[in-house]
Structure formats: C-alpha cells, structure tokens
Amino acid sequence: MVDWMADYLDTVEKLPVKSQVEPHQIYNQLPLSPPEKSESMETIFEDFKRIILPGITHWQSPNFFAYFPANNSYPSILGEMLTAALGSQCMIWETSPAAAELEEITMNWLKQMIGLPLQWEGVIQDSASSSTLAAILSAREKASGFSINDQGFTSKEKFRIYCSTETHSSVDKAVKIAGLGKSNLRKIGVDKTFALNPDALEQAIVQDLSDGYTPMCVVATLGTTSSTAIDPVEKIAVICNKFNIWLHVDAAYAGTALLLPEYRWMINGIEKADSFVFNPHKWMFTNFDCSAYFVKDKEPLLRTFEILPEYLKTSTRGKVNDYRDWGVQLGRRFRALKLWFVIRNFGIEGLQEKIREHIDLGRYFEQLVQHHTEFEVLAPVTFSLVCFRFIPEGVNELDRINALNEKLLKNINNTGKAYLTHTRLAGKYTLRMVIGQTNVAREHVDAAWMLICETAKGLDI
Ligand SMILES: Cc1ncc(COP(=O)(O)O)c(C=O)c1O
C-alpha cells in the first residue's frame, strides 16, 4: 500500500482531477449490509481501487485549481502515518505528554514564522470553522462576564457581531451555534477591492450602541474566500479597541503568505486583536486537518471551554497544557507531529520558496487573462487566486455573460483535465483559479489556460 501511495502521488496528474461519477454510482456498487466474516486485505484493497478511487476528486493533482487547496507533502503524509500507528488520543497532557509539548512547541514556531506577537499562545484545532467558533464563544463569555455558560441567555443580552459581506460562512455558522441569532450578525459593506469598509463598521457599531445593543465581536479576514480581499486589520483593530470589542482575524488561507516578510504588512496592528486563525492544512503542505488558532490571552478561552469531571483529574493540572480545555473536542488527534515534520523537512526557506513559486504562477496566470481580449480579471490578485470571466465580443447582457461562464466552468470540469470553482463578485459569475497545489508548475497552468480558451471557443454563443 505504501508503494501504491507513492505511485499514486507520482501519477495523480493523469487521473481525472474532478471525479466524473454520477450521484449514487459509488453507493450502488457497495453491499448494503456489513460482512459477517473477515475479508482479506487484498480483496478490500482491490475494491478500494475499483469502486472508491473513481469517486475521488484528486486534491493532490497539480491540475486542481478549485476552492482553496488542501495540499500535502511527503513529510506530512509520513507524520500522519506515524500518528495513525501510534493511535494516541491526546486529550490531556498525561494521555501523551509528547503530543501536548510538541503542540506547544510547533505553535510557538508557527507564531515566530508568521510574525505574531510572541506572548500569544496557540492550539491546533480541526478546522478554521472550529477556531472561529472558539473565538466567538470566548468573546461571548468575556462580554457577558462568563454568565451565559453558567446561566444561559437572559433577556438582558443583545449582542451584535460584525463581519463583511465577503466573510466566510463559518462565521454565520459560529453565530448560529453560539446562540447569538443570525439577525445579530451584521454584514458590513466592502470597497471596490472587496475589503471591509472600516467607516461603515464604525457607523454600524455607533448605531447599534444607540439602539441598545452590545457590540461584542468583529471578524476581519485576510484573504476572503471569494477573492482573497484583505480587510484593513489595523483600522478595524483601532475601532475594536475604542469600543472594547473582541477582534478575531480569519486568515485561513492567506495566513501562510505571512511566512514571507513582504506580506507582513497585512498584520500591522495585530497586537490590538484578540485571536487569529490560519490553516496549515490549506496552503502549508500539511495535510488536512490542521488549523492553527492563536489567542492573545488564553484565560477567556480556557474559562469558556474548561470542564473537570473526576475521571479527567490529574496531578499535573495547572503545570502543563491540557488541550481539551482549548476548544470543543475532548478527544484529540496527534496533529502536531505532521506539522513538525513539515516545518523541519522544508525549513522556513523551503516553505517560502514554494509559496513564492505559487504566487509567481498566480501573477503569470493573471497576465495571461489580462492579455486576452475576451477575458477579464475581476479582483486584485494578491496571492495566487485569480478571479476572472469570459466576455465574448458582442455579448453585453449580464445574465447572458453569467450563464456562459457557468457553462464554461461546467465544460472545463467535465473534461477531467483541470478543476476550477466559481463565486459571484458584484453580481458577476466569476471563475476562480487557485494555484496552491504542492507540485503545480508552469506547464500545468499553461495547460489549464489552453483548456479554458479552447473550451470558451467551443461555447454556443
Ligand atoms: C477565509 C476562510 N475562513 C474559513 C474557512 C473555513 O475553513 P475550514 O474548512 O478549515 O473550516 C475557509 C475555507 O475555505 C476560508 O476560506
């Protein structure tokens, strides 16, 4: 199987990148009841190759340009294999001291690598969604004097949360789970680069205060999902500090770019924020899942999540980090191992080199689009995401252009040769080309561009 894995990664680019199966095609090939008797690993593995593999979308293919990447690398895979072999459940320090201490060290390394204040502390969560939920729950508890965890909501609390119209849906989800009410999440307008407008934020806060609400948390994004817009953290932080509001910074994808000194301007003012998340499992060659969540002050986080049943009491409590108190999960995987392998095997320079390569390829693709008379770029390209669309000569109506681009995307993805996804920017159906897969090279970007142009030519206009 290990040989198969190595061969798979060597040849994955030849497979259809987006799975081409129909709904239920996999389900219908599988027995509806589990086997009574043991089956051999050979048979199971054959079925994996025959039935399961065709239903896999190949995220590690260099022809994968969809969503944001969930890239990986050999050191990460090896770390993950060891994690599985050890099978440790790392809920508290005692259940694997090395896991807890390696997590502390790797989070401290990451903090230095991306330029966060050194006194902040970090923990590995399963996803940015969980990290943002932790931030919003901590903010809620801090703002309520830790009374909602204790007594539940009373009619007193009228909290408001703020983010931009471009913010990831994980914020909406966290607000729902935290019991704050979707209608109390205020979506602030954006400027022409799709970044949150800080003046509009301040106006909304002032208005809410005069209407008797308590502004409780702002979520700023570095690298929004649709277009990698960058909210102005420094300006937002000043507003948050002025009104005593928790500031959470979501850099799920773009946080990796902070490894490069030329991107550090994005976190000017971060010392005024309260929490920050970025996902090494997106762009930092560490396979899913591994989300790095950092807080300025760990006390609100621990007070929000702490539990202490008799069966979890240990004599080391208070002297070590028991990460079960740092988030939703009790049971935890040993995720720090793969991250440690990645950071050591690439080195900071190796990581920087790869990220710069991806950013250069993004700029290269942007130029290809700009130089074509029938395509246009729809948002600033800051990292390695290019938002663009096809505008065939003579077609002016927005609905028609949108429908053509939707068809274009479908036709591209149906070839299995490249996989892109879409969004909508200012009403325009937008194709997203994200260059972040570990082994993507210029030849893959060129091939994708040729495919896009040829597929566009073949559209019935
Ligand atoms: C900006 C941003 N925040 C949060 C998320 C959610 O990430 P996760 O899947 O780790 O919850 C994403 C996912 O793409 C994202 O782009």
Side-chain angles (χ1 to χ4, degrees):
M1 270 194 197
V2 172
D3 282 347
W4 184 91
M5 290 182 204
D7 291 345
Y8 168 76
L9 290 171
D10 279 349
T11 55
V12 63
E13 69 182 271
K14 300 200 180 94
L15 299 173
V17 53
K18 178 174 189 275
S19 171
Q20 303 288 310
V21 300
E22 295 298 325
H24 314 302
Q25 190 175 321
I26 306 298
Y27 185 93
N28 289 338
Q29 293 177 74
L30 296 166
L32 295 179
S33 308
E36 290 294 341
K37 299 241 182 303
S38 161
E39 297 185 74
S40 74
M41 277 313 295
E42 284 75 14
T43 312
I44 301 168
F45 192 40
E46 281 312 309
D47 283 352
F48 162 78
K49 289 186 271 188
R50 186 174 57 86
I51 305 173
I52 303 300
L53 206 56
I56 292 296
T57 289
H58 299 285
W59 286 67
Q60 304 316 316
S61 165
N63 302 313
F64 183 98
F65 303 105
Y67 302 103
F68 281 139
N71 64 22
N72 74 12
S73 60
Y74 285 113
S76 178
I77 295 168
L78 295 173
E80 193 73 312
M81 283 160 79
L82 289 179
T83 289
L86 295 172
S88 299
Q89 201 276 60
C90 307
M91 57 187 170
I92 49 180
W93 181 87
E94 275 200 11
T95 61
S96 273
E101 295 187 11
L102 190 63
E103 184 156 340
E104 193 173 345
I105 287 286
T106 48
M107 287 297 96
N108 284 340
W109 282 7
L110 271 187
K111 188 170 66 183
Q112 294 166 46
M113 288 161 65
I114 63 171
L116 288 182
L118 294 183
Q119 62 279 20
W120 286 36
E121 291 185 73
V123 53
I124 305 180
Q125 308 278 8
D126 56 5
S127 62
S129 302
S130 296
S131 301
T132 294
L133 175 62
I136 287 180
L137 288 172
S138 307
R140 185 195 75 182
E141 284 312 295
K142 194 174 173 200
S144 71
F146 298 88
S147 75
I148 296 174
N149 263 356
D150 199 37
Q151 291 157 36
F153 285 92
T154 64
S155 53
K156 283 201 317 276
E157 297 94 10
K158 284 173 75 187
F159 290 127
R160 279 273 153 104
I161 305 94
Y162 309 82
C163 64
S164 89
T165 49
E166 293 291 316
T167 305
H168 189 263
S169 54
S170 51
V171 175
D172 302 61
K173 201 185 222 181
V175 165
K176 287 205 292 186
I177 299 171
L180 295 161
K182 262 191 331 186
S183 58
N184 289 315
L185 176 61
R186 290 200 65 177
K187 302 267 175 102
I188 307 297
V190 293
D191 64 17
K192 62 181 189 318
T193 71
F194 304 103
L196 183 144
N197 175 344
D199 295 333
L201 171 68
E202 184 155 8
Q203 275 165 25
I205 291 170
V206 170
Q207 177 72 53
D208 280 347
L209 281 168
S210 78
D211 292 346
Y213 290 99
T214 306
M216 188 266 276
C217 180
V218 174
V219 180
T221 308
L222 301 177
T224 55
T225 313
S226 283
S227 71
T228 59
I230 301 171
D231 291 343
V233 165
E234 172 105 70
K235 286 187 182 156
I236 295 171
V238 169
I239 297 168
C240 287
N241 286 186
K242 181 166 153 193
F243 294 100
N244 193 22
I245 303 172
W246 184 290
L247 174 57
H248 175 59
V249 178
D250 175 3
Y253 162 73
T256 296
L258 291 168
L259 287 166
L260 308 178
E262 60 270 29
Y263 280 87
R264 286 285 168 82
W265 56 268
M266 295 194 297
I267 50 164
N268 284 347
I270 194 72
E271 67 289 345
K272 299 186 198 82
D274 296 278
S275 52
F276 176 94
V277 60
F278 99 98
N279 284 351
H281 74 223
K282 277 189 160 46
W283 196 13
M284 215 189 89
F285 318 107
T286 309
N287 62 274
F288 192 84
D289 51 352
C290 183
S291 177
Y293 178 56
F294 292 95
V295 285
K296 175 153 65 187
D297 174 10
K298 69 179 179 208
E299 210 224 315
L301 178 69
L302 299 193
R303 277 186 72 180
T304 300
F305 286 103
E306 207 166 45
I307 33 112
L308 193 57
E310 188 58 34
Y311 43 82
L312 290 178
K313 284 184 182 158
T314 56
S315 59
T316 50
R317 192 173 163 72
K319 298 188 203 128
V320 294
N321 285 346
D322 290 320
Y323 285 113
R324 63 135 199 266
D325 289 334
W326 294 55
V328 173
Q329 289 182 288
L330 169 62
R332 308 178 77 249
R333 284 158 33 71
F334 185 6
R335 299 190 190 93
L337 192 63
K338 62 187 172 189
L339 184 59
W340 189 51
F341 279 26
V342 167
I343 298 172
R344 291 185 64 185
N345 193 240
F346 276 84
I348 295 174
E349 284 177 11
L351 292 169
Q352 289 173 328
E353 199 178 309
K354 272 257 167 229
I355 298 301
R356 284 201 181 101
E357 253 173 60
H358 292 170
I359 292 171
D360 287 348
L361 285 174
R363 298 218 171 104
Y364 169 67
F365 185 81
E366 180 189 19
Q367 301 263 305
L368 293 175
V369 176
Q370 272 169 347
H371 289 140
H372 195 299
T373 51
E374 290 193 306
F375 282 89
E376 69 173 345
V377 174
L378 292 173
V381 178
T382 312
F383 308 98
S384 61
L385 161 65
V386 183
C387 290
F388 68 104
R389 69 173 178 166
F390 177 47
I391 27 161
E393 242 180 87
V395 184
N396 301 314
E397 194 203 332
L398 179 65
D399 286 350
R400 179 88 191 106
I401 299 175
N402 284 349
L404 277 170
N405 278 280
E406 195 171 343
K407 183 85 180 119
L408 172 61
L409 181 67
K410 191 164 173 234
N411 290 356
I412 292 166
N413 291 340
N414 282 347
T415 67
K417 291 184 183 157
Y419 182 22
L420 280 72
T421 47
H422 82 283
T423 189
R424 212 170 272 268
L425 291 173
K428 296 171 187 163
Y429 191 94
T430 303
L431 275 63
R432 295 169 75 261
M433 170 92 176
V434 186
I435 297 161
Q437 205 290 317
T438 310
N439 296 315
V440 63
R442 178 139 162 193
E443 73 203 66
H444 305 109
V445 174
D446 282 335
W449 177 237
M450 257 170 61
L451 175 70
I452 293 164
C453 293
E454 275 166 21
T455 313
K457 255 194 236 153
L459 286 175
D460 197 3
I461 293 170

